[in-house]
Amino acid sequence: MNAVAQLVALSQSFQIESMSADTVAAARRAVLDSLGCAIAAIGCEPVRVAGPLIHGGSDRATVIGEAGISTLERAVLLNGILLRYLDMMDVYWAKDVCHPSENVPVALASVETIGGSGARLIEAVVAGYEAQMRLTHAVSLQRMGMHHVTAGGIVAPLVIGKAWQLDAGVMAHAVALGGCRQFTVHAMSKNNLSMAKAIGYAWSSMDSILAVRLAQSGFTGPTHFLDWLTGEGPLKESYDPEALTRSAAPLIEKTSFKQFPVQFELQTPNEVAIRLHAKLTGAPIRRVEIAVPPITAKRTADPSKFKPANRETADHSLPVTVAMSLLDGKLTAAQFEHGRWADVDVTELVSRTEVISEERLATDYPQGRPARLTVELANGEKFVEFQEVPYGDATRPMDDGAVEQKFLANVVDVIGTARAAAIIETVGRLERLTHITELTRLLGVA
């Protein structure tokens, strides 16, 4: 059985009747957290730009924050942008990093188009999470210069196929057509970032709808493409063939949630910085030193991150986000939307910040996201704080109550308390919903 067939068989194996209570609960948390991130971004600039440009077929689905009903293509693209824009979605990593919640908008819209149930949504979400998370164990797309959203062309057809209950042969060709088409270069997230950060996975997912429709009509694809990449091709050295078939509890139970709307490696240093803010009591800061593993320094503290040109770069900047947290004692989406990252006191503190690339942190905490902050005040007093992993990490997990609180914090100002509570209640009984429109009708009008 080739790699594509293995992925198809994996996705088809998930049935609500055989899922544990823990897996179903993890799926509900994933859906609620994803909806919160998306609702909080209603009205963001990338959606304002892209929305009028996207049309599509006759399948109908809800765009979060819009009145009425739209096309499947618009729902997948725009809801995917909304989810990604604030950088608050969940995260998982092995050989590569990924944000498996980017499959939730695909599953939600696909299930809605066929009048599916909440149980069908859970099955499609779990299948998408499992396929994408296993791919991070199987291969490193980064090592061949590709961004992790490349996986969208492989995984989104599986999610759509699972939602629509397509047969294995159709799904295999859909994965082949989408997967060999949707490669995205890693330069998308290097140096000064752009709006492309928000659209990468969503765009691949939208294009995957066509791959599925082509396969349904008998169009064939190179179902061997993953075997070529991992055999003769550029993924040969990093490939773990057992990762796609290794028996284990569904990986959706091991996803990590974010506290703050910033890149995943910045969660720990900003948690530490907010703790330090309470101790500093507003005293002038002379110098800040941030020690992180080399890979974190490389990704989040290159020269462009010390002088970000836009919001997209600022929320991936270690020195800028830590300065905001130290000065304000919080790190929220509103700060980024209001340009706090460009204020004089933030930029001046960034100029007094040094990022230390410390190999020992990587070797001593290989499964963590460690950070050590040293803050020296103008009067010579010094504070040092260390944290191995942030709250929300799979090893320090958020429970249902914490995920609900994050959801409320994200959405109440956008949709009000009553509708927010209704969404929480509806997601709380997701597996018992006869029709998913009971949920989607709560998402339409901002």
Side-chain angles (χ1 to χ4, degrees):
M1 187 182 291
N2 66 25
V4 167
Q6 289 171 345
L7 285 168
V8 170
L10 178 69
S11 68
Q12 289 194 322
S13 69
F14 291 107
Q15 305 297 328
I16 191 77
E17 297 83 4
S18 59
M19 290 182 191
S20 70
D22 287 343
T23 298
V24 172
R28 288 196 301 262
R29 284 193 295 273
V31 170
L32 185 65
D33 188 70
S34 301
L35 293 178
C37 295
I39 291 168
I42 288 172
C44 69
E45 186 176 3
V47 165
R48 292 201 305 270
V49 173
L53 306 177
I54 306 303
H55 305 288
S58 58
D59 291 321
R60 314 303 287 173
T62 299
V63 172
I64 295 171
E66 282 191 1
I69 198 79
S70 189
T71 66
L72 174 61
E73 284 80 359
R74 284 189 83 249
V76 166
L77 184 77
L78 300 185
N79 292 344
I81 292 173
L82 289 170
L83 168 64
R84 183 66 180 83
Y85 178 69
L86 295 178
D87 222 320
M88 289 192 75
M89 65 290 176
D90 61 14
V91 63
Y92 182 82
W93 63 97
K95 292 179 179 179
D96 275 354
V97 68
C98 72
H99 302 293
S101 59
E102 292 192 288
N103 295 295
V104 172
V106 186
L108 184 65
S110 299
V111 171
E112 185 180 11
T113 63
I114 48 95
S117 65
R120 183 76 64 85
L121 176 62
I122 288 174
E123 291 173 346
V125 166
V126 173
Y129 267 68
E130 192 72 14
Q132 188 166 9
M133 294 162 87
R134 287 203 186 205
L135 279 171
T136 70
H137 288 273
V139 297
S140 174
L141 295 164
Q142 248 176 246
R143 288 186 61 175
M144 62 179 286
M146 295 295 117
H147 194 277
H148 62 78
V149 300
T150 293
I154 301 169
V155 180
L158 292 169
V159 175
I160 299 166
K162 182 66 175 176
W164 291 354
Q165 294 188 322
L166 302 182
D167 68 55
V170 170
M171 288 176 69
H173 286 290
V175 171
L177 289 165
C180 70
R181 170 78 171 78
Q182 305 298 338
F183 280 82
T184 303
V185 296
H186 203 202
M188 186 182 76
S189 62
K190 296 296 185 183
N191 301 318
N192 269 310
L193 279 70
S194 67
M195 287 185 194
K197 180 183 75 173
I199 203 173
Y201 201 93
W203 198 347
S204 289
S205 298
M206 182 187 72
D207 283 350
S208 293
I209 299 168
L210 177 58
V212 173
R213 287 177 172 147
L214 286 168
Q216 285 180 293
S217 299
F219 208 104
T220 61
T223 55
H224 63 281
F225 87 98
L226 276 177
D227 302 283
W228 178 85
L229 282 171
T230 56
E232 305 170 45
L235 295 178
K236 179 178 180 180
E237 298 302 319
S238 72
Y239 184 50
D240 175 7
E242 295 182 3
L244 300 183
T245 57
R246 190 177 295 124
S247 179
L251 290 174
I252 193 170
E253 299 176 26
K254 298 183 182 297
T255 191
S256 296
F257 292 100
K258 292 183 181 181
Q259 296 180 77
F260 312 114
V262 296
Q263 194 259 15
F264 82 107
E265 290 163 305
L266 304 183
Q267 300 294 309
T268 312
N270 280 287
E271 181 179 329
V272 173
I274 289 169
R275 282 207 307 266
L276 281 171
H277 169 84
K279 298 179 179 181
L280 303 180
T281 62
I285 299 172
R286 176 185 295 163
R287 178 177 173 272
V288 177
E289 178 186 285
I290 312 169
V292 291
I295 187 63
T296 302
K298 182 179 180 180
R299 286 170 171 161
T300 65
D302 62 81
S304 68
K305 303 304 190 299
F306 280 81
K307 294 183 177 180
N310 53 38
R311 183 220 190 280
E312 288 82 2
T313 307
D315 68 22
H316 274 51
S317 166
L318 176 59
V320 167
T321 58
V322 166
M324 291 165 64
S325 293
L326 284 171
L327 291 170
D328 298 349
K330 62 182 179 180
L331 192 60
T332 67
Q335 287 166 282
F336 287 102
E337 291 305 298
H338 297 153
R340 179 71 175 115
W341 49 273
D343 287 348
V344 172
D345 59 339
V346 173
T347 59
E348 286 183 349
L349 185 55
V350 169
S351 71
R352 301 193 298 275
T353 297
E354 181 181 6
V355 175
I356 305 297
S357 176
E358 198 166 293
E359 182 63 42
R360 186 181 66 83
L361 291 177
T363 56
D364 289 356
Y365 306 98
Q367 303 305 315
R369 288 177 274 170
R372 186 182 66 252
L373 266 65
T374 302
V375 177
E376 184 180 342
L377 301 183
N379 63 8
E381 193 174 3
K382 187 179 290 186
F383 297 86
V384 181
E385 288 269 350
F386 172 81
Q387 183 73 49
E388 179 181 352
V389 295
Y391 180 56
D393 186 88
T395 61
R396 289 181 66 205
M398 292 183 184
D399 59 17
D400 289 350
V403 173
E404 288 180 10
Q405 288 304 309
K406 176 185 172 182
F407 176 83
L408 290 170
N410 275 334
V411 310
V412 165
D413 288 346
V414 183
I415 62 173
T417 302
R419 186 174 297 192
I423 293 172
I424 290 174
E425 188 276 333
T426 304
V427 173
R429 52 186 176 86
L430 190 58
E431 67 272 28
R432 301 191 300 277
L433 296 185
T434 302
H435 203 296
I436 201 62
T437 53
E438 192 173 341
L439 174 61
T440 57
R441 65 178 174 80
L442 296 170
L443 306 175
V445 181

